[in-house]
Amino acid sequence: MRQSPGLQGAGNEIAGLKARYGALRQAAALPGADTGTLLEAALAELDAAVAALDSPDGEAERGEAGAGSSGASHAERRLLHAVFQQTPVPLFLLGTDGTVRRVNAAAGDLLGSGPGYATGKAFTAFIDLPSRPSVTAQLAAAARKGETRQFRCGLLTAAGTADHELAVHPVSTQDTAVHLVVAVTGPAAASAARRGKARSGQRAAEPGAEVVQAMTRRLDLVMAATRILLENITYSEPVALQRYARQLARELTAWVIVDVEGGQRLRRQHVSGPEDQRSEKLANAVAAVDPEPGSGPYQVHESGSTLLIAHAEDPGALGNGPDGIPLLMQLGATSVLSVPLSDGEHAYGALTLARWAGHPHFEIADVGLVEELGEQLALAIRVDRMFRHRVDIADALQTSLLPRQVRQVPGTEIAAEHVSVASAAETGGDFYDVYPSRDGWGVAIGDVCGKGPDTAAVTAAARHAIRALAHLDADPAAVLRGINDIMLAEDFGGRFVTADAGHLDWRDGRLHLSLASAGHPGPVLLRPDGRTQVLDGGGLPLGIFPDAEPATQDVDLETGDLLFLYTDGLTSACGPDLVQFEERLTDALAALAGEPPAVLVSRVRDVVLELCGSELRDDMTMLALKVGDRPS
């Protein structure tokens, strides 16, 4: 059955009451809420609730009766028009739904915009957030009861938020529609009136100095923000976002919200605002809420277009918090500017500024500045991700050069240690390996001249070629000659390799070592009683001469003997006296005689790092093999 107009009107009235009641409850929960104003507004709503319960059809009937007897004459309309055009008091003409139909010049001056800017917007968009529910209730009461309402509230003006006295008076025009006239009084309104007089006859102050000052402040901000990104030597994206947001929050007097795409969705990375304890807690709460689809930042990221809301009519522009209260209300913000984080090729997220009451709203002039800041931040994110990608590649290459676990030769105990001086995005040239070879086992250690990804390719080729050739030939000298041939046949950009390669096999209860060296330092043989013997090194590096012949030596290792192989990064380390560790190597090893290989390489590492103050000249790699009993 079709509902009667009276019942339908009552239903709309009750729905409106429920909406305003909910808004009043949310406003009362905000810190610093004006309880007196809220109470007055709540009582006005209570009057409406009683009227609706007393006669559901009465409001519609009274509205129809009043419509027939309140037609305004043509003269009255002309008078109303004259009032709006000539009065120095800021005036707003509203519909009964609170939408602005017209403002006079003084009201435009008060808002800091032309008279046409406010037309079509909800009047509450120009009211401070905590006051909006009570103002909505007062407007509804004035329209419903047909009586003038006076109250105080925070109004968002060109100079920020200030407390004003508002007088709301219902009027009827010739077409029988009811409108509301809102008159604004107070200090800020008087200033607006004075600006109106100045515009009509007095000369305005020269704006040149103010323009220069504003441009200087903006340039300083851009330079300060750029410096933050350039000083991000750790290439840490979270650190850069946090420092950047805090700087903008201080300089632009606004909440700064950074949302970055991750895992196929937009995630909230950081929120900064006023530097006080309460604001920090609020920032953490907002940071825990990812942008909702349909919210302002989400739309900006999806569309790649800037969003400017000079006066936020919709409190849900930033979405809601976990408790259902709009984030805009929790932040106490009334003006929003959101720009995409884009470097021109990739979209990374959105940078959103929300300015709280008490400060001027965002304008078109702010858009260019914030868009430039957003582009800077996007470029920083791009550099950080490129750097991290290179680090991942370097880590993968390094893993291929240095075994995760040192393979153990039967009847021995082996340990290794590696300290790199390469930056995070580079890979050093040191390598070592322990591997099965033809008729025994092989050990190798080497160094490629150079740093970076190209060096890593040469290092990987040398290491894996040694392992492969050792399966075909037990002679380590033949293995190194094969590596030399490979490097001469390939184009490795003039890089060369130094290496020691050894073949191990058990003979008559002893572990026999056949050692070949190609331009690499000779290993040190450490006896259980502390005696040391530096084995022969020498030979020519691999990859330079076609007839390079490795130096060779054969040694029988007894139970308890320890073979110590290393790269020149260890011996070239020096202290303040400029004496290299090479001169102290045998003494340091002798003092560690009898220690397990893992303990020995760890202590040698500590001694070297202490000597040079952790400032190595080159990568340092050590491999220690201690002989035990022959396996059965």
Side-chain angles (χ1 to χ4, degrees), residues 351-496:
L351 172 65
T352 303
L353 276 62
R355 183 160 284 164
W356 55 87
H359 296 276
H361 58 77
F362 290 113
E363 301 176 341
I364 294 295
D366 299 308
V367 172
L369 171 66
V370 179
E371 284 181 339
E372 182 177 352
L373 294 172
E375 184 177 353
Q376 281 190 357
L377 189 53
L379 289 171
I381 293 174
R382 178 183 179 181
V383 170
D384 171 72
R385 294 185 179 181
M386 289 175 59
F387 180 83
R388 282 189 286 134
H389 181 64
R390 291 187 61 187
V391 169
D392 292 341
I393 294 175
D395 288 344
L397 286 172
Q398 194 68 49
T399 300
S400 71
L401 305 180
L402 304 175
R404 294 181 180 179
Q405 272 189 328
V406 180
R407 199 161 186 171
Q408 299 296 313
V409 174
T412 69
E413 184 180 356
I414 306 177
E417 187 76 36
H418 172 76
V419 180
S420 175
V421 297
S423 65
E426 294 181 333
T427 303
D430 284 9
F431 66 90
Y432 65 85
D433 203 1
V434 179
Y435 45 88
S437 66
R438 185 172 182 176
D439 302 325
W441 289 83
V443 294
I445 192 167
D447 186 8
V448 176
C449 175
K451 293 280 186 292
D454 293 341
T455 300
V458 179
T459 308
R463 178 198 167 197
H464 293 297
I466 289 175
R467 180 182 273 259
L469 292 175
H471 279 280
L472 303 176
D473 197 328
D475 182 7
V479 170
L480 293 183
R481 284 194 293 269
I483 300 301
N484 190 55
D485 293 340
I486 292 173
M487 292 194 64
L488 290 173
E490 298 289 338
D491 182 13
F492 287 121
R495 299 184 186 278
F496 59 88

Side-chain angles (χ1 to χ4, degrees), residues 500-527:
D500 283 338
H503 178 265
L504 298 165
D505 65 298
W506 288 95
R507 301 178 185 180
D508 301 327
R510 296 178 178 179
L511 185 62
H512 182 76
L513 169 67
S514 295
L515 179 68
S517 180
H520 201 79
V524 177
L525 178 58
L526 176 62
R527 303 293 184 180

